[in-house]
Amino acid sequence: MSSRYPTQSPSVYAKRRARLAQALKKQGGGVALVQSGHEVMRNRDADYAFRSDSYFYFLTGFPEPEACMALAVSPSGKSKSFLFCRPKHEEREIWDGFRFGPQAAQAQFGFDAAFSMDDFEEGLTEMLANQPSVFLRLGEDERLEAAVAEVLKTLRGKARMGVVAPHAVLDISHALDELRLIKDKTELSTMKKAATISAMAHQRAMLTSAPGKFEYEVEAELLYTFRKHGSEAPAYGSIVAGGANACVLHYRANDQRLKDGDLLLIDAGCELDCYASDITRTFPVNGQFSAAQQAVYEVVLEAQYAAIAATRPGARFNDPHDAAVKVLTQGLIDLKLLKMGLAEAIEQKAYTRFYMHRTSHWLGMDVHDCGSYRDPAAKPQDGVAPHTSRKLEPGMVLTIEPGLYIRPGRGVPKKFENIGIRIEDDAIVTAKGCDIYTHEAPKTVSDIHALMQSRNRVQQKRAA
């Protein structure tokens, strides 16, 4: 992940830190600490590729491991930012690659000062002296919490010298979640670029899939497209699920052969500069939906359109889900998979036999991004009733992903068995509604047929 240059202007991250400072001012100020994360061993002496902690990267843009940001906030809200990072080390750079080191990190990333991580405990002791509070993401980094505990112990031992240790250790998670929930222009631009790459990958998957290929061959086409266009990695483990595998919501084996007549469900998105995209498309392996497949598919697509129409500022987070459920349930009744009235089926949640997940989740630096789904004004005892779900605001980003998963069972006609369909797009809430920015991945029956017929023509020419 490490780069010799920041991917955005340092002012972008400075503005985010200033917003955090204002949030901490309301709690009396103090010092906030956010870690970059640590390199993790995969096996023996091979590491996993490092990916920075999302909160740290959001506030700093600094791409290296073993770093910590400190933000000192006065009671008036004025702040100074500090970075502790790995020192320059010529021998380690020969083996592992470039390091910024404190001097270059301060200059290029806009910190007020930067220090070697070797001096972390000493520097932290100085920073926390006479501060009212220290803010951490509690329960996230045992090493950081242990270091803070040791520093607090040291400071308490200096009480007779007039030094006061922070009187409170507070969780910063909620304040950071609220900052990240509404995306700024820089974030939205990056997410749109990631979506464009992912849409190209889904098109390539449609064009290269065929009966007889393995799911992992299609996955390879996705990964190739991600990397070819600059993405660092998939945003999550890609789901490439043919036939009955599509009825497994988090199918990850991707090792089965694709069969003529099956549908292929692909849930895959790339990550770009630590921002995720998340697209699901379902299409026929042979290029042509059967009558039963198309009937189910059109119910799911209509449900998605209904959920998109319900996604607008002032609506509740639950509203798109409720809109999708109504269409899906009526569709199941029309297909004779449910034998009761609409109101009864929704009240009894009979639809959950075929649709068992939610329609949306937040999207951002994490594919299931941070941020409360509950109205901030709701009280804990209010539970999770629809009226307590959060109101949507411009700048929020969420997925819209209804689906139907029809396993063999009592009352299921043979023609519907093992049909699994999900259609997922990414939506930015705008001033008037929402912007679906993953639309370049084909999803109407006619567009899918047209793309795959062009694939078939190419394959026929090659065979000739």
Side-chain angles (χ1 to χ4, degrees):
M1 180 176 170
S2 184
S3 167
R4 286 179 182 264
Y5 303 100
T7 57
Q8 304 292 344
S9 166
S11 64
V12 169
Y13 306 104
K15 288 177 182 176
R16 294 173 186 172
R17 293 194 294 269
R19 288 167 57 205
L20 177 60
Q22 290 306 305
L24 300 185
K25 170 190 172 183
K26 297 176 182 178
Q27 299 184 62
V31 177
L33 302 172
V34 182
Q35 281 270 37
S36 67
H38 310 283
E39 291 180 305
V40 177
M41 198 68 69
R42 181 182 183 275
N43 61 301
R44 193 75 174 184
D45 58 354
D47 295 330
Y48 284 104
F50 176 73
R51 195 273 196 190
S52 185
D53 174 81
S54 295
Y55 294 95
F56 176 87
Y57 195 77
F58 173 79
L59 293 167
T60 70
F62 188 71
E64 295 181 9
E66 314 302 331
C68 184
M69 182 212 75
L71 185 68
V73 182
S74 72
S76 67
K78 292 183 179 180
S79 65
K80 287 189 175 183
S81 60
F82 307 94
L83 179 73
F84 292 89
C85 65
R86 300 178 304 182
K88 292 293 285 184
H89 195 300
E90 183 177 349
E91 183 179 358
R92 290 316 317 165
E93 290 187 66
I94 290 171
W95 287 93
D96 302 324
F98 172 79
R99 292 183 179 187
F100 280 98
Q103 186 175 356
Q106 179 183 349
Q108 294 205 36
F109 291 87
F111 293 100
D112 292 302
F115 312 97
S116 169
M117 201 67 188
D118 293 343
D119 302 320
F120 181 62
E121 191 167 319
E122 179 182 347
L124 194 59
T125 302
E126 184 176 337
M127 283 185 189
L128 294 187
N130 302 314
Q131 290 285 352
S133 303
V134 55
F135 299 89
L136 306 170
R137 290 176 56 230
L138 295 175
E140 292 294 331
D141 191 316
E142 291 181 358
R143 281 185 265 186
L144 178 59
E145 291 186 19
V148 169
E150 193 63 32
V151 167
L152 293 178
K153 181 179 178 181
T154 298
L155 290 174
R156 288 169 187 145
K158 295 182 177 182
R160 286 184 294 175
M161 300 167 60
V163 176
V164 178
H167 58 74
V169 178
L170 302 175
D171 194 343
I172 198 176
S173 298
H174 177 71
L176 286 172
D177 288 351
E178 289 298 299
L179 287 182
R180 285 178 52 191
L181 183 56
I182 307 291
K183 273 56 179 180
D184 60 34
K185 291 181 180 179
T186 301
E187 293 177 285
L188 294 178
S189 175
T190 302
M191 292 181 73
K192 287 181 178 181
K193 291 175 184 176
T196 297
I197 295 170
S198 295
M200 287 191 289
H202 278 266
Q203 290 183 43
R204 185 177 180 89
M206 291 181 185
L207 289 169
T208 56
S209 63
K213 284 194 172 184
F214 283 91
E215 293 164 340
Y216 56 73
E217 294 181 80
V218 180
E219 181 184 16
E221 300 292 346
L222 296 167
L223 298 175
Y224 166 78
T225 307
F226 293 166
R227 290 296 287 145
K228 177 180 172 64
H229 294 282
S231 162
E232 299 88 357
Y236 52 95
S238 300
I239 297 170
V240 183
N245 297 331
C247 294
V248 180
L249 298 185
H250 290 163
Y251 176 76
R252 296 266 171 76
N254 299 350
D255 61 356
Q256 297 299 301
R257 192 183 292 275
L258 301 177
K259 298 176 184 177
D260 191 12
D262 278 351
L263 293 176
L264 178 58
L265 184 156
I266 297 178
D267 187 339
C270 76
E271 181 175 279
L272 184 67
D273 195 26
C274 284
Y275 283 86
S277 56
D278 190 1
I279 301 175
T280 305
R281 292 293 185 264
T282 310
F283 58 91
V285 172
N286 63 13
Q288 185 69 43
F289 286 98
S290 71
Q293 290 169 346
Q294 184 168 334
V296 178
Y297 188 91
E298 288 180 339
V299 169
V300 177
L301 185 58
E302 184 184 350
Q304 199 206 31
Y305 287 146
I308 290 170
T311 304
R312 58 185 182 273
R316 297 282 182 179
F317 178 82
N318 276 356
D319 289 348
H321 177 71
D322 293 341
V325 164
K326 185 175 181 180
V327 174
L328 292 172
T329 306
Q330 184 61 58
L332 290 167
I333 293 169
D334 294 342
L335 295 171
K336 297 183 171 31
L337 290 166
L338 291 180
K339 297 176 174 63
M340 59 183 74
L342 177 62
E344 182 185 5
I346 291 176
E347 183 180 359
Q348 295 184 9
K349 296 187 176 182
Y351 60 86
T352 58
R353 178 183 175 188
F354 305 105
Y355 181 52
M356 60 293 295
H357 61 79
R358 304 290 295 177
T359 302
S360 300
H361 58 76
W362 302 133
L363 183 68
M365 299 189 80
D366 302 306
V367 69
H368 288 174
D369 208 33
C370 63
S372 175
Y373 293 98
R374 180 194 295 274
D375 188 326
K379 299 176 182 178
Q381 60 266 32
D382 288 338
V384 290
H387 70 275
T388 67
S389 73
R390 188 166 198 146
K391 286 186 178 181
L392 299 178
E393 301 175 43
M396 291 178 171
V397 182
L398 64 156
T399 64
I400 303 178
E401 50 177 310
L404 288 174
Y405 314 90
I406 307 172
R407 291 172 173 268
R410 185 176 179 181
V412 175
K414 186 75 174 176
K415 63 182 179 179
F416 291 129
E417 288 183 353
N418 296 319
I419 291 180
I421 294 169
R422 183 164 63 253
I423 306 170
E424 177 180 22
D425 282 295
D426 304 340
I428 300 167
V429 181
T430 63
K432 296 182 179 180
C434 71
D435 174 21
I436 300 298
Y437 63 96
T438 46
H439 58 83
E440 292 171 313
K443 69 177 178 182
T444 66
V445 170
S446 59
D447 285 347
I448 291 172
H449 278 167
L451 182 65
M452 300 198 73
Q453 284 167 9
S454 71
R455 176 206 70 176
N456 291 344
R457 287 193 293 270
V458 170
Q459 291 176 348
Q460 287 167 3
K461 283 184 179 180
R462 289 175 179 172

